Amino acid sequence: MSIVSIGELVERARDFEGRLERYYAELRDKTPNNGVRLLTYYLSRHRRHLEEVMKGFENEVLERIFNVRLKYDVNFNPEEKFHIIKKPIDEIKGNELLEAACAYDEELVDLYKSILDQPIGEEARAFVEGLKRLEEKDIVMMKKMIAMDYF
Amino acid sequence: MNPTPVLTIFVASIFTNNILLASFLGLCSFIVVSNRIETAIGLGVAVTFVMVFTTAINYGVYYYILVPFHLDFLSYIVFIAVIAAFVQFLEMFIERFSPTLYYALGIFLPLITVNCAILGAVLFMVIRKYNFIQTVGFGFGSGLGWALAILLMAGLRKKMGYSNIPEALKGPGIILIVTGVIAMTFIGFTGILNLQ
Amino acid sequence: MITGLLAVGVNLGIFLALSIWLLISERILVRYGKCTITINDGSLILEKEGGITLLTALYESKVFIPSACGGKATCGYCKVNVVKGGGPILPTEVPFMSRGELRSGTRLACQIKLKEDIEITLPEDLLAVKEYRARVSLVKDLTHDIKEINLDLIDPPEIKHRPGQYVQIQAPGPEGTVFRAYSISSPDYIKDKIQLIVRLVPGGIASTYLHNLKEGDEVLFTGPFGEFRLSENPDTAVLCIGGGSGMAPMASIIDSIYNKWPDRTCFLFFGCRTTDDVFYLDKFKKMAEEHPNFKVYYALSDPLKEDEDWDGETGFIHLSVDKYLPENLDLQTFLCGPPPMIEAVKEVLKNKGYNPDEAFYDKF
């Protein structure tokens, strides 16, 4: 599905992350794997990224940013990237979960990059840049966690 | 020699004969840089500064070097060279004394070199046969006029951010239309005085 | 003919005059002369030719502050506190600063162009950072993917580091040299060599480089970095908790402690997945026999295979901490591992009445 304004993008991302959070909660209840359970606590923080970036802007500015319309539509298909959501819960392993979370973050980064290529004004640019930087940091962190092979 | 008093030239070049709104010179940087008031002021100041000094220097070069040797056909290339050199100088000067302005102006500072308003003002000075005092007054006035125009535009564009502009006119389209409207209102000033 | 020559001559003259004018003004405006950089109230004073960035000036004078992007204002690591000089903060820096940092005058060293005398403050530790050349003296396999690498220092011949600090190894990558942080696992009393524990990360530039090193190869690194300070009070117990590959700093801490205070209380909790990942256990068990106040617990988080024999703990490491850590100790805590592990451990510490915010953990 394509997105036409930044507000809509934020809305969609928030929706999906709400879904993810419910998924993580379910996983936490049902998984036999303790590593996965430990991870769900950490991963369900993802929703806070948006809020963290939004905190840096005043409401009035945020409203303006959300109204910025994109010149070209961008695609945002998180479900495809987070495919293990469809897998039976007791088969999920820690690293799989991390890889899926990583893929979702990478999708977000690509999305933000394609938005930054468009003329969206300085305020919106600062906002999207902030989001992008946060996700990139998150990716590095999770890649390291995958490499540690602890979960 | 041109008999118009220097004060008249000065006021006229700001309002009635505004180099941007009456002659439509220097439009490219006007369109690009008018998106923020701070940068608009910065560029306006830079253009005024460059305009005063390049008209003055080119006055000297034209009347004391080119004319005595009957080389006025060289005037275009010499004027451009003088402007280019002066902008280079200004760039170093601003970087030294106001790094914030330097970063705010970014690539637009070198763009002043090819700002046709600057060359336009120099050529007007020759065509209208101004003396030195008149030249400085004209350069200063034209610079201020250009700065005034871009400042007006930056203010309007800030407001325009909230308005519902038809898709096809977004960006330069609506800016050109608005510039036209401002130009028409400035025609109202022509009753006060007029330059030939 | 004469007009033509005249035109060429006049043109040449004018252009020449303009060039000379520009050259002279460049001399006057762009050459900034000598600028002094005063660091930490005069504990170090550098004199530099102006016109370069502060970051370059510091590196030229062998003051190594962290930087990963090479002065492009994209990593935000090279933060310094500017007391005086340096001009206003630039739009390129603002995104990296918190509001507090904006107020306190924090700047990115790579964005400050030296044009005048400048006064800055840096963490004292950074002034001790040097660039070292070292030779690989011994490479030992600890597990299937973890190696212990011993480096003999060549130049400078000695390093002064605290337990828990790390160095930045320079590894040649496909797109130029990369810097990767590795904790020093050797104790602070060994000064002429350092030891690293490196886990091979598939596709990792630095770990692949380090794993392929042979005895006699030369390595470059800068260091030491890191803010951990071991409590000097022998009555303070030390708690080390690690998971995955967090062993190196803790090995250094424990070794340093028992060299200086043989009776000090210290706990080591280490979590890994299977018996294949266990290393240093024998060494620590031997230490525990010599020092009765040293307690060591290893926990495996994966279920044991059928024919395996394991007398240690099972489950994730925070469970073992919950089980064995006594309450009401005067405690200094060092955590090392992935964030979810650290969070779980902090929760356990809180439940035991310790303040988890006092724990030191590696910025992952």
Side-chain angles (χ1 to χ4, degrees), chain C residues 63-88:
Chain C
V63 176
F64 296 102
I65 63 173
S67 163
C69 68
K72 295 197 285 277
T74 55
C75 73
Y77 288 174
C78 60
K79 283 181 184 171
V80 296
N81 215 315
V82 176
V83 183
K84 209 175 110 238

Side-chain angles (χ1 to χ4, degrees), chain C residues 83-264:
Chain C
V83 183
K84 209 175 110 238
I89 191 160
L90 302 178
T92 40
E93 301 169 57
V94 177
F96 296 99
M97 305 294 173
S98 68
R99 280 177 199 175
E101 284 173 329
L102 284 177
R103 267 197 300 276
S104 66
T106 305
R107 301 279 311 268
L108 295 185
C110 67
Q111 296 301 296
I112 300 177
K113 205 167 171 187
L114 273 190
K115 296 171 181 177
E116 54 186 351
D117 293 352
I118 185 168
E119 265 183 66
I120 60 174
T121 55
L122 291 172
E124 201 64 47
D125 279 357
L126 287 180
L127 295 180
V129 170
K130 294 193 186 100
E131 187 178 58
Y132 292 87
R133 203 153 54 81
R135 188 180 293 116
V136 179
S137 59
L138 180 67
V139 180
K140 210 158 78 186
D141 283 319
L142 295 180
T143 72
H144 59 102
D145 63 349
I146 298 180
K147 280 187 180 180
E148 176 193 292
I149 296 170
N150 291 277
L151 302 170
D152 283 349
L153 302 185
I154 303 172
D155 180 39
E158 284 202 343
I159 186 168
K160 217 177 133 210
H161 68 100
R162 296 193 306 268
Q165 285 194 306
Y166 64 91
V167 294
Q168 284 203 310
I169 297 279
Q170 300 183 17
E175 286 156 33
T177 309
V178 296
F179 291 82
R180 289 291 182 275
Y182 283 95
S183 288
I184 304 172
S185 61
S186 48
D188 56 357
Y189 58 85
I190 296 180
K191 295 197 182 342
D192 58 341
K193 56 183 83 178
I194 63 164
Q195 189 187 65
L196 310 173
I197 297 174
V198 182
R199 178 192 282 262
L200 181 65
V201 177
I205 294 169
S207 69
T208 312
Y209 162 73
L210 287 168
H211 266 239
N212 287 334
L213 285 175
K214 300 211 174 34
E215 272 129 55
D217 288 349
E218 282 197 7
V219 179
L220 285 174
F221 65 88
T222 49
F225 300 98
E227 285 141 28
F228 179 71
R229 274 169 203 280
L230 185 64
S231 162
E232 292 287 314
N233 178 1
D235 295 328
T236 301
V238 178
L239 170 62
C240 296
I241 306 173
S245 60
M247 179 56 85
M250 301 185 305
S252 169
I253 290 172
I254 292 164
D255 213 343
S256 306
I257 285 179
Y258 287 110
N259 180 58
K260 207 166 167 188
W261 303 282
D263 294 324
R264 196 165 172 177

Side-chain angles (χ1 to χ4, degrees), chain B residues 61 65-66 69 71 73-74 77-78 81-82 85-86 88-89 92-93 95-97 99-100 103, chain C residues 3 6-7 10-11 14-15 18 21-22 25-26 28-32 88 90-91 111 113 115:
Chain B
V61 171
I65 300 176
L66 297 185
F69 290 109
L71 292 173
F73 59 87
L74 279 179
I77 190 164
V78 170
V82 169
F86 188 76
Q88 283 281 310
F89 167 78
M92 289 186 247
F93 190 83
E95 194 198 349
R96 176 75 196 258
F97 293 105
T100 332
Y103 276 87
Chain C
T3 326
L6 200 62
V10 169
N11 227 340
I14 291 175
F15 279 43
L18 288 172
W21 174 49
L22 278 181
S25 34
E26 195 181 351
I28 298 168
L29 288 174
V30 182
R31 294 292 150 88
Y32 305 98
L90 302 178
Q111 296 301 296
K113 205 167 171 187
K115 296 171 181 177

